[in-house]
Amino acid sequence: MAAKLIKVRKNFVESASNELIKQLLDDLLDEGVLNDGEKDSILEENKGRADKARCLVDAVKRKGDDASGKMIAHLKSRDPAVCSKLGL
């Protein structure tokens, strides 16, 4: 699953809205994939939308296939159009 995230990273960065990024961060926090510090770091240290999206994908893919699978599942439920565009 981490390989899938790496493959779609560029298109995710181009496609994800600020709202989608925040929703995914909340979902991944609830699932225990990310902790509060990681979520806050992604939001506060990255001013631009694209930088937040890039940092989110990188943080999740480093955590492995299980975490990546959870992000993809949440992406599918939150924004099927983006998911379809990414080929997930």
Side-chain angles (χ1 to χ4, degrees):
M1 287 293 180
K4 280 187 179 181
L5 273 187
I6 293 167
K7 193 173 175 181
V8 301
R9 180 180 185 263
K10 180 182 177 205
N11 289 331
F12 176 78
V13 168
E14 292 171 356
S15 304
S17 66
N18 263 325
E19 186 60 29
L20 177 60
I21 293 166
K22 289 177 184 176
Q23 290 170 341
L24 289 172
L25 284 167
D26 288 339
D27 291 338
L28 295 170
L29 180 67
D30 290 345
E31 291 245 3
V33 173
L34 299 174
N35 62 41
D36 285 315
E38 291 167 318
K39 178 187 171 196
D40 292 343
S41 172
I42 290 169
L43 290 173
E44 293 169 10
E45 292 176 14
N46 300 287
K47 299 300 177 206
R49 179 204 51 80
D51 289 334
K52 289 176 189 167
R54 207 173 280 115
C55 191
L56 171 58
V57 170
D58 292 345
V60 172
K61 76 174 173 152
R62 277 194 297 272
K63 293 180 179 266
D65 286 340
D66 188 45
S68 297
K70 288 178 181 180
M71 179 173 163
I72 291 169
H74 287 297
L75 180 57
K76 284 180 181 175
S77 68
R78 291 284 184 184
D79 198 332
V82 169
C83 217
S84 175
K85 181 180 177 182
L86 298 177
L88 295 173

